[in-house]
Structures are given as structure tokens and as C-alpha cells.
Amino acid sequence: MRNKLLYLTLFAATAILCSCDKDTEGMTWITSYPTLEILGDEEVVLYVGDSFADDGCYAELEGEDVSDQIITTSDLDVSDVGTYSVSYIIYNSDGFSASASRTIYVVDPTSVATIYWAEVENSYNGAHYYDAPINITDNGNGTYQIDDVLGGYYFNGVYPGYEPSYDFHAEMNISVADDGTVTQVGTVGSWYWDDEDLEIVSGYYDSSTGIITLSILFSDMDMSVTLRPITK
């Protein structure tokens, strides 16, 4: 029995070594990893119709400039309000990579339909969060859609990093009257807590500053949301 066990052990070790040889064939045992450094601002604000000149990215490998080996991709569309990115990636000879990205906000300071930095406060426990990017889009029928009427309270504040596994964006349609009054249109869309009551109690759009203020009632909790348009 002991000889059989010894034989099986030697056979398994040999198989593992052979497997490793095949998996690592063509690879060096020591590899150097490339590094990337974004040149210019990591976040850029453009107005609709602006041109964009990418400042690029610097790459280094083993002390040498290899920036010409960077692969750059982007989904940027300067004709449409939205959040876009420019992505950079570089590989070494063993296939290991380094990556970085630049965020670009294309905004329209003359419209309700643009991108905002949100500030939200919950009077129930005093929780206070800042700087969630909130998109408002034009539905084309006189109404607008806010992609999170809670101003990032959950996706940016309470549970950052949980999306996309969980949907913490409470989408809601609104209308904006000539006097700036903001009112809710319909009910909140499907999201993580779609069985809870959520409504806009009052709201106001200041056309001179572009700022939107909302008083929200969510599941017996009072919240105040302030949306400040992103500008240059």
C-alpha cells in the first residue's frame, strides 16, 4: 500500500509540473509591469458642441517611455449631454496590462436637461452626502427624467460601490412650470426599494442659476436634495 501511495504522489507531482510547463510556455519568469499617468485633468467638463483635445497619457516600462504603445478608446459624443470616458491601456510582453481612464462631462448650462452635482441631507438621522453626478434628460414631451431623485443618497452615500449589482437609482419624471415650480409626474421607476413610498413634496428650478431644490418624502423620512449644474 505504501508503494502505491508513493507512486500516486509522484505521478500527481509530475502531472502538476507538466501542466505548469504548458501554462507558462513562452512566458518569462520575471516580468516588469507598465505604469500609466494621465496627462492633464482626470475629469473634464465640455459644453455641448465643444471640441476636445486629449492631453493623452504617459506610459513607462523598465524606466523607458513606451507611450506610443498605449491603446486609447473613447465613447465621447460632444453633440449630446452625458458622461463619457477616454480609456487607456498598455500591455507588457507577457500580456500583463495597466489601465487608466479620464471622465468627460458634456453639459448644457442653458437647459434643465444636463448633469448636476447633488447634495442630499436626511433630516431623520442627519446623514449628509455630496457630489453625486445626477443626469436629467429631456423626455421630449414637456417632461424630464431625473436618474436619481434622491441625489445619490444610496449609490453615492450609504452604499457606494454596490452598483451595478444593486440598483440604487430612483428614477422619476418631473415637469418644470414657467415659474420654476417642479412637480412629480407619475411614480418612481423600478429600483431596489420600489416597494417603499417616494414622492416629491415640493421643488423649484432657479433659471438664473440652474439650481434645482427638492423636498423629498421617502418612507416617512424627509430629505432635501440640491442639484447644482456642472459648469466649466
Side-chain angles (χ1 to χ4, degrees), residues 98-224:
S99 60
S101 64
R102 187 192 316 274
T103 300
I104 302 175
Y105 300 102
V106 178
V107 301
D108 184 352
T110 67
S111 175
V112 174
T114 189
I115 308 174
Y116 299 78
W117 291 127
E119 176 184 355
V120 58
E121 184 172 8
N122 180 359
S123 62
Y124 174 76
N125 57 14
H128 201 172
Y129 303 109
Y130 300 85
D131 296 337
I134 302 297
N135 287 14
I136 295 184
T137 54
D138 191 335
N139 291 326
N141 59 1
T143 67
Y144 302 89
Q145 184 182 77
I146 303 179
D147 70 350
D148 183 26
V149 73
L150 292 179
Y153 183 81
Y154 286 106
F155 80 80
N156 178 65
V158 180
Y159 300 121
Y162 278 69
E163 289 191 320
S165 298
Y166 301 93
D167 181 7
F168 290 129
H169 278 71
E171 298 177 347
M172 181 176 287
N173 291 328
I174 61 170
S175 65
V176 180
D178 292 340
D179 65 356
T181 300
V182 175
T183 55
Q184 176 179 334
V185 178
T187 59
V188 67
S190 177
W191 69 306
Y192 187 78
W193 277 289
D194 58 7
D195 58 341
E196 299 285 351
D197 292 331
L198 173 59
E199 63 177 302
I200 297 176
V201 177
S202 63
Y204 180 70
Y205 169 68
D206 186 338
S207 60
S208 64
T209 62
I211 295 174
I212 296 175
T213 53
L214 302 172
S215 177
I216 305 292
L217 179 62
F218 172 56
S219 188
D220 298 326
M221 295 187 295
D222 294 320
M223 295 186 179
S224 61

